[in-house]
Amino acid sequence: TKCEPLSGKIGETVSPTINGSNFDSGAGVKLVLGATEIVGSNVVVSHGDTIEVDFNLIGAAQGLYDIVITNPGGGSGRQEQGFEVKST
C-alpha cells in the first residue's frame, strides 16, 4: 500500500518529519519535480531513522515531488512522489 504523501501549501514554510533508515548526521534533503529543486534547511537527523527539515514553498509549483536524501558519505535515497505541494 502507498502512504499519503507529506504535503504543504504554496507560499508556506513547512517542517515535515521524514521517517526511514540509515540517515547520517549532516544529510541533505531536497524536493525534486522535473528540473525544479527545493532544498531543505535546518535539517535535524534523530537516531538515524527520522529527519526533520524545513521547506520554503514560496513560489513553488503545485505537484507531487520526489524526496531526495543524500548522506555526507555519498549514499542517497529517493521517495518518489513523497511530497505534495498544494495550491490551497
Side-chain angles (χ1 to χ4, degrees), residues 2-79:
K2 186 172 180 177
C3 296
E4 280 293 309
L6 299 170
S7 66
K9 295 178 185 170
I10 294 171
E12 292 182 333
T13 296
V14 296
S15 303
T17 298
I18 301 166
N19 296 305
S21 60
N22 299 317
F23 301 142
D24 293 337
S25 181
V29 185
K30 61 186 174 182
L31 302 176
V32 178
L33 177 64
T36 302
E37 292 187 356
I38 301 171
V39 178
S41 61
N42 303 315
V43 178
V44 177
V45 177
S46 300
H47 308 292
D49 61 4
T50 304
I51 292 179
E52 293 178 28
V53 58
D54 296 337
F55 291 114
N56 180 338
L57 303 181
I58 294 172
Q62 181 178 334
L64 286 169
Y65 288 71
D66 293 350
I67 301 171
V68 179
I69 299 167
T70 305
N71 283 325
S76 66
R78 177 182 292 256
Q79 181 179 352

